[in-house]
């Protein structure tokens, strides 16, 4: 019996940083369209990634932004 599988493309970046965000959003949009995904979850500390997702992704996509816990950087501080 031959196993079922799907080949998907992947991008590897030479380093971290906000310079990768546009390219990531292009891939997110492409894959979401292929799979009819409407809900997109993004991680953000300042809201900038969520804003870029809203600008780059199709208007039909629903973007939810999450951040880490209050107090991660310093006590009682919320970055978002």
């Amino acid at each position: 019996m031959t196993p079922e599988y799907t080949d998907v493309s992947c991008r590897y970046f030479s380093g971290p940083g906000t310079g990768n965000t546009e390219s990531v959003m292009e891939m997110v949009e492409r894959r979401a369209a292929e799979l009819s995904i409407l809900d997109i979850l993004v991680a953000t500390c300042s809201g900038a990634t969520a804003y870029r997702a809203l600008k780059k992704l199709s208007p039909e996509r629903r973007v939810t932004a999450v951040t880490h816990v209050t107090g991660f950087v310093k006590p009682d501080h919320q970055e978002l």
Side-chain angles (χ1 to χ4, degrees):
M1 182 172 171
T2 305
E4 286 190 34
Y5 65 89
T6 303
D7 289 325
V8 295
S9 62
C10 180
R11 291 182 185 175
Y12 289 94
F13 297 96
S14 58
T18 58
N20 300 328
T21 304
E22 291 295 314
S23 182
V24 170
M25 292 304 161
E26 288 172 10
M27 291 298 291
V28 168
E29 179 60 36
R30 182 180 307 148
R31 191 69 173 148
E34 289 172 1
L35 299 176
S36 300
I37 295 172
L38 295 178
D39 296 303
I40 307 296
L41 182 70
V42 297
T44 187
C45 290
S46 67
T49 301
Y51 180 76
R52 289 172 78 178
L54 288 170
K55 292 300 217 182
K56 188 74 175 178
L57 301 177
S58 297
E60 65 190 3
R61 312 259 179 256
R62 294 180 296 259
V63 176
T64 300
V66 296
T67 191
H68 45 68
V69 66
T70 298
F72 183 77
V73 173
K74 62 183 180 184
D76 299 319
H77 177 74
Q78 175 52 259
E79 290 177 89
L80 188 57

